[in-house]
Amino acid sequence: QAAENLALRFGKTNNIPTTILRYSIVQGPRQSPRNLYSGALRIFVTQAFQRKPLTVFEDGEQTRDFVDVRDVVKANLLVLRSPRANFEIFNVGSGRTYTVVDFAKMVIAETGSPSPIAVGGFRRTDTRHAVSDVTKFKKLGWRARFSPKDSIREYVRWYREEFVPRRAAERRAQGPTVPT
């Protein structure tokens, strides 16, 4: 919040249009399966393709607001083009909640994986419920168009093209391609 206030003050003082966007859980194709900070989509899809249990902490009923990267791109373009966005702060999310266990089930359904969902464990820093209030951004004309199922479908399609070998001959020619 201090950085946001500083950016807005600097922008106003120097007459530089400034807008703050607070992103919810952004996901979609090209999200690195090797980056540990890529989040639930990367973790669940990687586990599903490796036929490992999908690890869901706590009871799985914690809620999240997942927003597709394509919606985030449109959000950025909207504030760049709209003078009404100047010197404002907007939350960028879907405005809808999904439980983490339901998200894991969507990944299993899309990948066709036999992986079970392993619920349990605890991470001290986890937030129980996180959803973005996008009411203010909607007044600017923005709406999230893509659902988590859309994001999962596109990510799985991309992941299959990039990391899952199609035939044994390709596997031999390319060497190991499934990330560990």
Side-chain angles (χ1 to χ4, degrees):
Q1 188 175 7
E4 291 173 351
N5 290 338
L6 182 64
L8 289 173
R9 174 56 45 211
F10 182 83
K12 286 178 184 177
T13 300
N14 294 290
N15 198 29
I16 300 170
T18 305
T19 304
I20 306 296
L21 296 178
R22 295 175 179 162
Y23 303 114
S24 188
I25 301 170
V26 181
Q27 57 186 9
R30 295 176 184 79
Q31 189 171 343
S32 174
R34 293 183 179 96
N35 184 328
L36 296 179
Y37 298 101
S38 288
L41 181 61
R42 173 203 65 90
I43 293 167
F44 291 163
V45 169
T46 300
Q47 289 171 333
F49 277 121
Q50 293 175 350
R51 298 175 177 249
K52 293 181 178 177
L54 276 61
T55 53
V56 174
F57 291 100
E58 296 183 28
D59 60 0
E61 295 302 312
Q62 58 275 41
T63 56
R64 298 292 181 263
D65 181 350
F66 300 102
V67 62
D68 190 281
V69 68
R70 294 166 290 182
D71 286 324
V72 170
V73 168
K74 289 183 190 254
N76 282 275
L77 293 173
L78 175 62
V79 300
L80 283 170
R81 294 173 179 149
S82 176
R84 292 179 23 220
N86 292 344
F87 311 111
E88 296 291 339
I89 299 173
F90 298 100
N91 295 324
V92 181
S94 70
R96 294 181 300 268
T97 59
Y98 299 87
T99 66
V100 174
V101 76
D102 284 342
F103 187 76
K105 288 175 183 176
M106 286 186 253
V107 168
I108 287 173
E110 186 62 39
T111 60
S113 176
S115 296
I117 297 173
V119 177
F122 178 77
R123 293 188 304 187
R124 209 170 44 103
T125 58
D126 274 356
T127 302
R128 182 71 178 160
H129 302 293
V131 63
S132 296
D133 180 354
V134 295
T135 306
K136 182 178 176 183
F137 209 17
K138 282 182 176 182
K139 291 177 184 173
L140 199 63
W142 185 82
R143 300 270 188 289
R145 291 184 36 227
F146 299 98
S147 71
K149 284 185 180 182
D150 297 326
S151 300
I152 293 166
R153 183 180 325 104
E154 287 303 307
Y155 186 76
V156 167
R157 181 190 57 72
W158 172 79
Y159 191 100
R160 278 188 172 120
E161 288 173 4
E162 294 295 320
F163 300 103
V164 178
R166 286 187 168 57
R167 296 181 299 274
E170 280 183 30
R171 282 196 300 274
R172 286 190 301 276
Q174 295 175 354
T177 58
V178 177
T180 57

